[in-house]
């Protein structure tokens, strides 16, 4: 197997395992949030899932994201101790980042009233300690990723998030009046386990001489910064250092754009804490597909693109076979994700109210909740395209291009902020989603322009996969009309009937679009066949097409693609 095949297989496996992890965690989170919403007020829910989570996400992004991206871009020629030294700079950065976070969250933001929580400052401190712990675990994480240990990431992050979820549910049930403090405690416990498991994994590997020989580091000491004699500071690779600096500057801007609505909610009195709680629930539900699938694929795609491309050379000067693999991979991802996202939009219109009703009762489904969820599903289309195009551009841009993009992000950030304030004053909470769509549209436009310009004269057209055939709009339009009528006529007297009509329409849409989604559907069927043979028959029989000889799976494949 060539290095290219290994990288591609590793990226696909990483996406698959990460998606499996995200699916499992989101299912747990789905039920956990439903449980918490019923046991705490909207204000308490907002403080935990909006304000404190925003602090956690901000701290991690500014402390580790730049160094993680640069380290994952490192090639085999970079000395491993220089990569390790670079990653540890993140811990130094986390100090001022956490100090700034404490000052902003405690001194600038309005302290929640005592009726919401009396432990707000303690909770902020716990979140900041959590950030430092996770940043201190970056070196073993990076090394595991470079070794393509995809299952390791799934297992360890799965344990961390599951522990947090179970502890929070237990704490909220036992001490609902201290829910905000318990949120911080559960986050910290999860991070302690996360740190211990990653370092414990490498300690275990180092005790096995055969396993140690396969690793880029040979001892626990090499996981920490190393100084050369006569030098005051640890040495880092200059190229990766410059790349990290660009990613770091970009991180502030990307954070402002990615979490912009939550910053505006907290730093400006646009909507109340209770409204923030409703918005957060709807946001979590509406972006479920993006969180489950798109983010995992984006992370795996970036890792593949960063290893396959040399950002210092024009496309025409790079290895043609590698460029062909990159174009094929990029086109395939864009093609499948755009179709998945428009299917989500089609069915979300008629089932948003039902989802909110089942999830949180009438307090969520009545009022603006349904409108917010419908709009959020439309936003998914932008997320699908932006995730992949930005993963590519970040992997392919050189330092100068990244610097120009940073300047563009400043303009996008200003545009977003102005648009959000205007839209919120006109449309209420719905304005945040409209501003998000505008923001993503600008970022997508820049990425598409970059990709198109980069491949001019190369003979490749990776963006042609974004086009959708007109007949599929007709299919989706018919499905939308049927389910919209069912929502008015059937839903009031039969929830099961409404769901059944939606399921039939979804199957019909997938069948009509089966050739466009062939690669994705075959992956799903292959996974299903492996699951059945492993957990039911305990035997694996693979036919010449690569599918397990499980009668049901083969019958489905025959029906879809050979009729």
């Amino acid at each position: 197997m060539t290095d290219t095949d290994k990288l591609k297989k590793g990226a696909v496996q990483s996406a698959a395992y990460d998606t499996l992890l995200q699916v499992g965690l989101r299912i747990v989170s789905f039920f956990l949030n439903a449980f918490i919403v019923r046991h705490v007020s909207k204000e308490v829910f907002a403080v935990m899932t909006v304000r404190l989570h925003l602090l956690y996400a901000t701290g991690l992004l500014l402390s580790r994201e730049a160094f993680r991206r640069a380290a994952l871009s490192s090639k085999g020629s970079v000395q491993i101790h220089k990569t390790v030294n670079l990653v540890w700079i993140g811990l130094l950065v986390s100090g001022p980042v956490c100090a700034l976070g404490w000052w902003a969250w405690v001194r600038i933001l309005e302290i929640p009233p005592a009726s919401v929580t009396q432990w707000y400052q303690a909770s902020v401190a716990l979140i900041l300690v959590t950030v430092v712990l996770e940043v201190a675990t970056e070196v073993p994480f990076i090394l595991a990723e470079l070794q393509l240990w995809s299952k390791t990431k799934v297992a360890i992050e799965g344990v961390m998030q599951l522990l947090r979820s179970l502890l929070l549910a237990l704490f909220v049930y036992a001490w609902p009046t201290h829910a905000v403090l318990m949120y911080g405690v559960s986050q910290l416990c999860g991070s302690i386990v996360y740190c211990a498991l990653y370092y414990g994994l490498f300690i275990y590997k180092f005790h096995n001489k055969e396993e140690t020989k396969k690793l880029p580091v040979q001892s626990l000491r090499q996981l920490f910064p190393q100084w050369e004699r006569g030098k005051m500071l640890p040495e880092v690779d200059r190229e990766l250092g410059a790349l990290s600096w660009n990613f770091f500057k970009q991180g502030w801007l990307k954070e402002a754009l990615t979490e912009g609505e939550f910053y505006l909610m907290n730093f400006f009195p646009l909507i109340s804490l209770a409204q923030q709680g409703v918005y957060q629930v709807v946001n979590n539900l509406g972006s479920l597909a993006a969180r489950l699938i798109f983010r995992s694929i984006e992370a795996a795609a970036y890792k593949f693109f960063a290893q396959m491309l040399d950002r210092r050379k024009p496309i025409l000067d790079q290895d043609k076979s590698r460029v062909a693999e990159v174009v094929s991979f990029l086109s395939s991802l864009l093609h499948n994700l755009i179709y998945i996202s428009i299917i989500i939009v089609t069915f979300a219109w008629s089932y948003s109210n039902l989802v909110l009703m089942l999830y949180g009762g009438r307090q969520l489904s009545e009022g603006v909740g349904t409108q917010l969820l419908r709009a959020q599903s439309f936003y998914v289309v932008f997320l699908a395209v932006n995730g992949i195009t930005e993963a590519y551009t970040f992997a392919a841009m050189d330092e100068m291009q990244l610097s120009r993009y940073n300047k563009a992000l400043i303009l996008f950030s200003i545009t977003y902020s102005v648009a959000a304030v205007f839209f919120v004053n006109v449309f209420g909470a719905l304005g945040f989603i409209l501003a998000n769509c505008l923001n993503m549209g600008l970022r997508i436009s820049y990425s598409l322009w970059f990709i198109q310009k980069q491949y001019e004269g190369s003979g490749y057209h990776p963006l042609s996969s974004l086009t959708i055939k007109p007949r599929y709009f007709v299919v989706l339009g018919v499905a939308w009309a049927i389910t919209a009528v069912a929502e008015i006529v059937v839903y009031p007297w039969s929830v099961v009937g409404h769901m059944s009509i939606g399921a039939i329409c979804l199957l019909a849409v997938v069948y009509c679009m089966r050739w466009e989604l062939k690669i994705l559907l075959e992956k799903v069927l292959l996974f299903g066949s492996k699951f059945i043979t492993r957990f039911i028959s305990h035997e694996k029989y693979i036919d010449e097409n690569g599918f397990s000889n499980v009668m049901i799976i083969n019958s489905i494949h025959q029906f879809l693609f050979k009729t």
Side-chain angles (χ1 to χ4, degrees), residues 238-254:
R238 290 187 178 182
E239 182 182 347
L240 292 184
L243 192 60
S244 298
W245 176 239
N246 276 318
F247 281 138
F248 181 75
K249 291 186 293 184
Q250 194 179 84
W252 292 84
L253 298 170
K254 188 177 179 182

Side-chain angles (χ1 to χ4, degrees), residues 140-210:
F141 171 86
I142 293 294
L143 293 177
E145 286 292 284
L146 291 176
Q147 293 296 109
L148 301 179
W149 294 348
S150 302
K151 292 181 181 179
T152 299
K153 176 183 176 181
V154 171
I156 294 179
E157 291 197 7
V159 169
M160 175 182 71
Q161 298 295 353
L162 183 61
L163 177 63
R164 284 174 171 173
S165 299
L166 293 177
L167 284 177
L168 182 58
L170 177 63
F171 291 153
V172 167
Y173 181 77
W175 303 291
T177 56
H178 300 311
V180 173
L181 177 64
M182 293 300 103
Y183 177 83
V185 172
S186 63
Q187 290 287 109
L188 180 60
C189 290
S191 294
I192 291 173
V193 171
Y194 173 81
C195 181
L197 287 177
Y198 261 114
Y199 279 102
L201 171 67
F202 276 86
I203 292 173
Y204 171 78
K205 293 287 185 182
F206 292 145
H207 279 85
N208 187 322
K209 292 184 178 179
E210 293 300 320

Side-chain angles (χ1 to χ4, degrees), residues 69 247 298 301-306 308-311 313-315 318 322-323 325-331 333-334 385-398 401-402 447-448 450-452 454-455 462-463:
R69 282 184 174 272
F247 281 138
E298 177 187 348
Y302 173 79
K303 187 162 60 175
F304 175 73
F305 294 143
M308 291 289 288
L309 296 173
D310 187 340
R311 64 176 74 244
K313 297 180 181 179
I315 283 294
Q318 299 193 39
R322 287 196 163 212
V323 172
E325 287 284 346
V326 167
V327 171
S328 174
F329 197 53
L330 175 61
S331 298
L333 286 177
L334 288 175
V385 177
N386 182 71
I388 300 304
T389 54
E390 275 200 349
Y392 178 87
T393 54
F394 289 162
M397 285 179 172
D398 59 29
Q401 290 166 335
L402 282 170
S447 296
L448 295 181
F450 171 80
I451 296 171
Q452 183 67 31
Q454 188 180 38
Y455 283 93
L463 301 181

Side-chain angles (χ1 to χ4, degrees), residues 73-273:
S73 300
S74 63
K75 306 296 190 293
S77 59
V78 178
Q79 293 176 300
I80 193 63
H81 76 274
K82 293 183 179 181
T83 301
V84 170
N85 292 343
L86 174 72
V87 174
W88 274 107
I89 294 176
L91 189 63
L92 297 177
V93 174
S94 68
V97 166
C98 289
L100 179 63
W102 171 268
W103 175 71
W105 261 252
V106 173
R107 301 298 180 186
I108 296 181
L109 295 182
E110 182 182 356
I111 302 295
S115 59
V116 174
T117 178
Q118 297 178 341
W119 302 95
Y120 176 71
Q121 294 187 5
S123 303
V124 170
L126 289 172
I127 295 298
L128 294 176
V129 174
T130 295
V131 170
V132 173
L133 261 179
E134 293 192 28
V135 173
T137 316
E138 273 300 279
V139 169
F141 171 86
I142 293 294
L143 293 177
E145 286 292 284
L146 291 176
Q147 293 296 109
L148 301 179
W149 294 348
S150 302
K151 292 181 181 179
T152 299
K153 176 183 176 181
V154 171
I156 294 179
E157 291 197 7
V159 169
M160 175 182 71
Q161 298 295 353
L162 183 61
L163 177 63
R164 284 174 171 173
S165 299
L166 293 177
L167 284 177
L168 182 58
L170 177 63
F171 291 153
V172 167
Y173 181 77
W175 303 291
T177 56
H178 300 311
V180 173
L181 177 64
M182 293 300 103
Y183 177 83
V185 172
S186 63
Q187 290 287 109
L188 180 60
C189 290
S191 294
I192 291 173
V193 171
Y194 173 81
C195 181
L197 287 177
Y198 261 114
Y199 279 102
L201 171 67
F202 276 86
I203 292 173
Y204 171 78
K205 293 287 185 182
F206 292 145
H207 279 85
N208 187 322
K209 292 184 178 179
E210 293 300 320
E211 288 290 331
T212 304
K213 292 178 181 178
K214 302 176 184 178
L215 298 176
V217 292
Q218 307 300 313
S219 67
L220 184 64
R221 174 66 187 87
Q222 291 180 313
L223 295 179
F224 297 92
Q226 299 180 50
W227 280 265
E228 292 186 14
R229 290 184 178 180
K231 294 187 177 181
M232 295 183 61
L233 297 174
E235 186 180 6
V236 301
D237 183 80
R238 290 187 178 182
E239 182 182 347
L240 292 184
L243 192 60
S244 298
W245 176 239
N246 276 318
F247 281 138
F248 181 75
K249 291 186 293 184
Q250 194 179 84
W252 292 84
L253 298 170
K254 188 177 179 182
E255 178 69 3
L257 291 169
T258 303
E259 306 287 356
E261 70 265 37
F262 298 112
Y263 286 109
L264 291 173
M265 286 178 191
N266 284 283
F267 284 89
F268 300 95
L270 297 176
I271 59 177
S272 65
L273 271 179

